[in-house]
Amino acid sequence: MSKDLATSIIRTLRQHGHQAYLVGGCVRDLLLNREPADYDIATDAPPDNVMHMFPETYAVGAQFGVVLVPRPQNYSQSTGLNSLEAGREEGGEDKTRPVSTKANLVEVATFRRDIGYSDGRHPDEVRFSRDPREDVRRRDFTINGLLMDPITNEVLDYVGGQEDLRDKTIRAIGDAGRRFDEDKLRMMRAVRFAARFDYSIEPNTLAAIRKLAPQIHQVSRERVREELTKMLTEGRARRAFELLDQTGLLREVLPEIFAMKGVQQPPEFHPEGDVFLHTLLLLQNLPHPCSDTLAWGALLHDVGKPPTFRVAPDRIRFDGHVEVGVKMAEEICERMRFSNDETGQILSLIDNHMRFGHVHRMKESTLKRFLRMPRFPEHLELHRLDSLASHRVLTTYEFVREKIQKIPPAEMRPFRLITGDDLIAAGYQPGAQFREILSVVEDAQLEGRISSAEAAMELVRQEFPPPGQV
């Protein structure tokens, strides 16, 4: 989203006699010399006025004073204001058709005062205001409570946000307990912002989170999952999960990860320490950017270790931790409302992460089937992270990479030599055995023992004699 577009919207609002400023995260990011993901505007114009002023709008939260203004198709940075209003001024009929993506939408919110938060998430009543100070003081953190005039670059700071930016501090605006009482999700956001920017959480703000952490369950699991996913993928996942632990939120939102603390591992394989530290080391090395499924697979790959821990005569063991971990992760994914596709990939990462220890001994057919699993690069990356977080030996990782480079695609996924129709034509009765027969043929093909339909049928007749020839 172009800052010029947001600026042109502000010019329009002001030309109609209203106050208007950039607000929130975009101001914070501009002051930190970061490129904002999007631009938000705060104004004293009521929602009806905003919707009347622009060619096409989306009243996504008009009761809260929030209107989305899209970029008109005929908008250009050079024409600015005039092009924004062209759809209404030229003939009175709105002919603009905005591109409805987040990158082409500006959120315009009316100054307001919130009254009551009985559900711990949303205000019970909103009263619109003409005072920007009143609007800022109901927001979450000081670094997100700054206003900016994009024309003069003047910053309006009524809450000490600039000082906290300089001091690298996350501080709730006003009374921290009240801010978190109003919206429990703010506790998760405090952790995420502190991790993302490598800031500290101000003592009173931290104390309020620790006190109210058990109330995080008032927030929908989807919103909690979204915050956790952002923590995992924004580049400072280890710091985020250390803070979740320090604030008491980890025990509440992911007790299965909290249970990893103090669970020792065999030092000959895991010199780094307990399961929790091992997991933190994986998170520390997550690539950035990182897919959501790889991030969650890394977080949960050893989730089955705490309940399977035992001290055997030879060493510490976690018998069946993969199978147990898959079941636990499935419950977590269901609890967090992941999609079926995301759940499937996360469970596959957990289910297969120990198989890398056997690749040197796999038959050629087994190895090729392993390497051609859906989204295999994520499996390989998880193995690399797992190795770096323990013994730091990448021999197996390099072996697999070399195999992938050397095996031609046609050999990894060869054309099927025979089908079920061929088996029926040869006198076999359709049934469950067809899957086994075709799998044996494909194994032989993957291992280079056969390469023609004739050789495939000969192998079938040898391994599975036709009816009447047994």
Side-chain angles (χ1 to χ4, degrees), residues 135-155:
D135 182 75
V136 165
R137 288 169 186 152
R138 55 106 188 158
R139 293 175 180 267
D140 55 6
F141 308 111
T142 60
I143 65 170
N144 295 335
L146 299 168
L147 299 165
M148 175 183 280
D149 181 337
I151 300 168
T152 64
N153 286 328
E154 179 187 2
V155 175

Side-chain angles (χ1 to χ4, degrees), residues 348-349 352 356 373-383:
S348 180
L349 287 167
N352 290 282
F356 282 89
M373 282 195 306
R375 296 158 75 172
F376 184 78
E378 288 191 9
H379 291 269
L380 184 57
E381 179 63 10
L382 177 56
H383 169 70

Side-chain angles (χ1 to χ4, degrees), residues 367-372 403-405 407-414 442 446:
L367 178 60
K368 288 178 179 176
R369 289 180 188 276
F370 181 54
L371 300 183
R372 71 186 194 191
K403 280 288 185 181
I404 292 172
Q405 293 169 0
I407 300 175
E411 291 184 16
M412 191 78 78
R413 292 179 174 83
E442 187 182 21
L446 290 170

